[in-house]
């Protein structure tokens, strides 16, 4: 196994997940941010089979009582050599390793079983290939016109920019929607979409937008209220994470992707942009989520084959 390749991608040899008394066991971890760690472990069993356990753990997503129980027992576990410390000089890394240890023991997570050590090493290398691939890509969510959201990997160029990939998806020059609809997520659209693209999604004011004082697009002297129609976005939309430190695109976290998917399927539904535009033309007031939903129902009744 090429240890240098693991190190080149930021992984550290952290020792096996179940102590040091199992020859051939391997363990690698790397810190993604303050609470998130990538991991890859393998270990043998009495019957000569092997387990391989890879993925990502986010301490912030674990139940507080679970993290609490880990915090109380991690030092005891290390002292008893049930597990070793992470070797990263980081208490949270030790907690992450202990959490993985407990999840395997309690069957919250299930490792992949291999027939022998060679197959286990091959799975670890396959995981590393995926990590290397993701280092050259950014995980994003596309909101297509008239369709359900889907995940894509945006290709980075030699300078680390995703500009070309974003332009390909939106069909032209890009612009960032100016409202923070989903915390930590940028919405990229075609900057001339209103002139040449089909209406996609209606954007409704979120509680956070109302709290932050976003002005109504229909009365600039008033704050936009929750569920009020705030804007209509045209053409494909791309949801990408925003790195506040570098100003660059980053992978969506699992939580961000879930929140974006939920917003653009349950709140801002497919065809809602067309319905909102029609409601504006018909002089509907107030222009809120209820009015747009009603227009969607009318459109469906008039065009039974229209998928809404």
């Amino acid at each position: 196994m090429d240890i240098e390749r693991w190190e080149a991608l930021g992984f550290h040899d952290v020792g096996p997940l179940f102590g040091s008394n199992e020859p051939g066991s391997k363990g690698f971890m790397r810190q993604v941010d303050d609470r998130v760690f990538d991991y890859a472990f393998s270990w043998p069993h009495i019957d000569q089979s092997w387990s391989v356990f890879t993925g990502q753990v986010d301490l912030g997503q674990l139940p507080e009582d679970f993290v609490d129980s880990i915090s109380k027992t991690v030092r005891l576990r290390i002292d008893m050599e049930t597990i070793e410390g992470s070797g990263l000089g980081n208490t949270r890394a030790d907690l992450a390793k202990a959490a993985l240890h407990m999840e395997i023991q309690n069957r919250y997570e299930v490792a992949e079983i291999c027939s022998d050590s060679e197959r286990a090493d091959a799975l670890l290398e396959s995981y590393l290939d995926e990590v290397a691939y993701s280092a050259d890509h950014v995980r994003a969510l596309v909101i297509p016109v008239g369709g359900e959201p889907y995940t894509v990997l945006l290709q980075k160029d030699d300078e680390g920019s995703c500009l070309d990939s974003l332009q390909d998806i939106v069909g032209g020059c890009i612009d960032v929607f100016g409202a923070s609809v989903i915390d930590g997520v940028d919405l990229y659209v075609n900057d001339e979409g209103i002139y040449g693209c089909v209406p996609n999604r209606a954007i409704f004011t979120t509680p956070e937008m109302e709290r932050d004082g976003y002005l109504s697009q229909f009365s600039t002297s008033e704050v936009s209220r929750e569920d009020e129609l705030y804007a209509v976005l045209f053409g494909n939309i791309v949801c990408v994470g925003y790195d506040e430190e570098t100003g660059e695109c980053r992978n969506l976290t699992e939580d961000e992707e879930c929140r974006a998917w939920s917003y653009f399927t349950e709140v801002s539904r497919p065809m809602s942009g067309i319905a909102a535009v029609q409601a504006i033309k018909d002089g509907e007031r107030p222009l809120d989520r209820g009015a747009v939903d009603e227009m969607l129902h009318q459109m469906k009744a008039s065009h039974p084959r229209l998928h809404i």
Side-chain angles (χ1 to χ4, degrees):
M1 177 169 288
D2 188 354
I3 302 300
E4 291 183 358
R5 187 163 176 248
W6 288 89
E7 293 176 345
L9 291 170
F11 283 89
H12 296 266
D13 185 349
V14 298
L17 191 59
F18 290 98
S20 57
N21 58 346
E22 296 173 353
S25 295
K26 298 179 179 68
F28 300 94
M29 287 176 61
R30 71 171 179 178
Q31 188 163 3
V32 178
D33 62 28
D34 191 40
R35 291 177 174 268
V36 179
F37 298 85
D38 291 328
Y39 61 84
F41 294 96
S42 68
W43 63 91
H45 299 282
I46 296 176
D47 64 0
Q48 306 301 311
S49 65
W50 282 69
S51 285
V52 175
F53 190 42
T54 60
Q56 188 175 84
V57 59
D58 183 348
L59 293 175
Q61 296 298 313
L62 297 177
E64 288 186 13
D65 57 345
F66 185 51
V67 176
D68 220 30
S69 66
I70 297 170
S71 301
K72 292 176 181 178
T73 60
V74 64
R75 289 188 178 179
L76 176 62
R77 287 176 177 274
I78 293 173
D79 290 343
M80 294 174 63
E81 295 186 354
T82 307
I83 63 171
E84 298 174 347
S86 68
L88 300 182
N90 183 324
T91 301
R92 293 196 181 198
D94 292 336
L95 287 176
K97 188 175 179 183
L100 296 171
H101 185 279
M102 291 181 68
E103 290 199 345
I104 285 289
Q105 282 191 319
N106 295 328
R107 299 294 191 272
Y108 298 131
E109 296 286 350
V110 179
E112 186 163 354
I113 302 299
C114 302
S115 57
D116 52 46
S117 62
E118 289 186 3
R119 176 59 181 160
D121 283 349
L123 281 181
L124 288 180
E125 292 293 341
S126 176
Y127 168 75
L128 196 61
D129 288 340
E130 293 179 11
V131 171
Y133 181 80
S134 66
D136 294 325
H137 295 75
V138 171
R139 185 180 178 87
L141 193 70
V142 175
I143 317 301
V145 174
E148 297 290 334
Y150 61 89
T151 302
V152 296
L153 291 174
L154 305 174
Q155 173 75 54
K156 294 180 182 178
D157 60 24
D158 293 340
E159 297 179 355
S161 169
C162 295
L163 177 61
D164 290 343
S165 295
L166 288 168
Q167 288 180 333
D168 285 344
I169 294 173
V170 304
C173 295
I174 60 172
D175 193 14
V176 180
F177 182 55
S180 180
V181 180
I182 301 157
D183 188 40
V185 176
D186 278 342
L187 305 182
Y188 284 91
V189 294
N190 187 312
D191 71 347
E192 295 184 346
I194 193 172
Y195 304 112
C197 296
V198 176
N200 186 352
R201 293 299 210 271
I203 300 298
F204 302 102
T205 302
T206 64
E208 293 76 18
M209 290 169 65
E210 179 178 350
R211 179 200 64 202
D212 293 341
Y214 280 83
L215 294 178
S216 170
Q217 301 298 290
F218 303 97
S219 175
T220 55
S221 63
E222 298 179 6
V223 172
S224 187
R225 302 303 177 189
E226 181 179 355
D227 282 339
E228 179 181 331
L229 178 66
Y230 183 80
V232 175
L233 299 185
F234 292 73
N236 291 337
I237 306 164
V238 188
C239 302
V240 185
Y242 173 71
D243 190 324
E244 294 184 355
E245 293 185 2
T246 66
E248 300 291 334
C249 296
R250 60 162 175 77
N251 290 320
L252 289 174
T253 66
E254 185 176 341
D255 177 63
E256 289 167 347
E257 187 170 336
C258 286
R259 285 189 285 117
W261 192 93
S262 177
Y263 184 84
F264 286 109
T265 54
E266 298 174 8
V267 179
S268 177
R269 295 190 289 161
M271 308 294 290
S272 60
I274 293 176
V277 170
Q278 189 60 51
I280 292 172
K281 289 180 178 179
D282 291 351
E284 292 281 349
R285 292 293 187 276
L287 277 173
D288 56 18
R289 185 177 165 191
V292 173
D293 282 348
E294 178 59 32
M295 182 60 67
L296 274 172
H297 287 302
Q298 292 179 22
M299 290 168 58
K300 187 174 183 180
S302 301
H303 303 83
R305 294 186 180 183
L306 190 63
H307 178 67
I308 299 178

